[in-house]
């Protein structure tokens, strides 16, 4: 069965970086794009970008360009999302999601509180 | 970016009610519109893709319609487990956007 398992919660200080992993199983890893979506406390869903695990190609939301990097390691079927120069506004739950027509499978979410 | 506007922002209803949520795009997105259900502490769940296609395993009381700029999600007979926040999402543009969400509460 398809599963996306994300890394655990990380507390960060302002100015730091965070790198969240998402390990896929149960399907052909290189056959589907992987997207990242976040939800800040009390806010809605926000799309951050996607990566093509086959080619490594990426497309980032304008808001995050220059601060976000999405990468993949095909040998372990894992994608990564790194966000730099964190501020309190980046406090959120971060999700990876498999892209088909819509996001049919999601990771469990990774909480990243940013606080001094 | 394409702006997605949902209405209403919140809604109270009884179990058994028929409920409709609307989503309007700031420009035509053809039928590149998906709907998700989100409950606190869980990952969002895909309900409808391509405006009207029911995702596998989703109850048939959920339906979607629309094209161009105007879309609707309808729940034909609300069940207790349907109380959640619902989001539309456009994937027409390379810059994907979500609506702001509609919170569906028990009356």
């Amino acid at each position: 069965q398809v599963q996306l398992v994300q890394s655990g919660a990380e507390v960060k200080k302002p100015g730091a970086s965070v790198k969240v992993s998402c390990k896929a199983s149960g399907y052909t890893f290189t056959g589907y794009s992987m997207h990242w979506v976040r939800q800040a406390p009390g806010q809605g869903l926000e799309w951050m970008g996607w990566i093509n695990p086959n080619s490594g190609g990426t497309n980032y939301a304008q808001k995050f360009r220059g601060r976000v990097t999405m990468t993949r390691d095909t040998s372990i079927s894992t994608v990564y999302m790194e966000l730099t120069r964190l501020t309190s506004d980046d406090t959120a739950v971060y999700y990876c999601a498999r892209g088909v027509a819509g996001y049919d499978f999601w990771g469990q979410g990774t909480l990243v509180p940013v606080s001094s | 970016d394409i702006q997605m506007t949902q209405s209403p922002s919140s809604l109270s209803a009884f179990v058994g009610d028929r409920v409709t949520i609307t989503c309007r795009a700031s420009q035509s997105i053809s039928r590149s519109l998906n709907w998700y259900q989100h409950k606190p502490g869980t990952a969002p769940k895909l309900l409808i893709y391509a405006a009207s296609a029911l995702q596998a395993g989703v109850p048939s009381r959920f339906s979607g319609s629309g094209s161009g700029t105007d879309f609707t999600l309808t729940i034909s007979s609300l069940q207790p487990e349907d109380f959640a926040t619902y989001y539309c999402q456009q994937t027409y543009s390379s810059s994907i956007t979500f609506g702001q969400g509609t919170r569906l509460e028990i009356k």
Side-chain angles (χ1 to χ4, degrees):
Chain A
Q1 71 283 19
V2 174
Q3 279 193 302
L4 301 177
V5 179
Q6 298 183 220
S7 48
E10 301 200 50
V11 181
K12 294 294 181 182
K13 293 190 181 302
S17 300
V18 67
K19 190 170 186 177
V20 181
S21 67
C22 171
K23 182 173 177 60
S25 61
Y27 71 98
T28 302
F29 176 67
T30 53
Y32 300 82
S33 60
M34 195 73 78
H35 295 240
W36 289 89
V37 174
R38 76 178 188 179
Q39 184 179 39
Q43 304 299 308
L45 301 175
E46 182 175 33
W47 176 75
M48 299 181 69
W50 59 255
I51 182 168
N52 178 330
N54 187 41
S55 66
T58 55
N59 179 32
Y60 303 139
Q62 179 67 40
K63 174 178 179 177
F64 299 104
R65 284 176 197 163
R67 282 208 305 140
V68 71
T69 304
M70 297 176 189
T71 56
R72 91 294 191 207
D73 184 338
T74 57
S75 68
I76 55 171
S77 300
T78 299
V79 297
Y80 303 90
M81 186 284 298
E82 182 175 26
L83 190 62
T84 63
R85 304 194 303 275
L86 293 169
T87 73
S88 57
D89 289 343
D90 294 314
T91 293
V93 175
Y94 290 78
Y95 295 99
C96 60
R98 190 177 81 162
V100 192
Y103 302 158
D104 58 349
F105 288 94
W106 295 67
Q108 81 276 20
T110 296
L111 176 63
V112 180
V114 181
S115 174
S116 54
Chain B
D1 287 0
I2 298 175
Q3 304 304 312
M4 306 301 293
T5 303
Q6 291 181 230
S7 60
S9 295
S10 64
L11 173 62
S12 295
F14 291 105
V15 171
D17 281 354
R18 179 182 181 91
V19 166
T20 297
I21 298 169
T22 66
C23 180
R24 175 164 289 176
S26 60
Q27 66 184 73
S28 177
I29 58 170
S30 186
R31 294 177 60 82
S32 300
L33 190 285
N34 308 311
W35 290 98
Y36 298 87
Q37 177 191 69
H38 194 198
K39 298 180 180 179
T42 69
K45 175 184 178 181
L46 178 64
L47 300 174
I48 301 287
Y49 62 93
S52 61
L54 189 68
Q55 174 67 7
V58 174
S60 59
R61 63 181 180 273
F62 291 92
S63 64
S65 65
S67 66
T69 60
D70 294 311
F71 301 86
T72 61
L73 172 71
T74 299
I75 310 172
S76 60
S77 178
L78 273 174
Q79 298 302 300
E81 61 267 29
D82 299 338
F83 292 93
T85 301
Y86 293 82
Y87 293 91
C88 62
Q89 176 204 37
Q90 67 80 18
T91 55
Y92 180 83
S93 165
S94 61
S95 182
I96 292 169
T97 46
F98 288 91
Q100 82 278 14
T102 294
R103 184 174 181 182
L104 178 53
E105 299 176 320
I106 300 174
K107 184 178 282 186

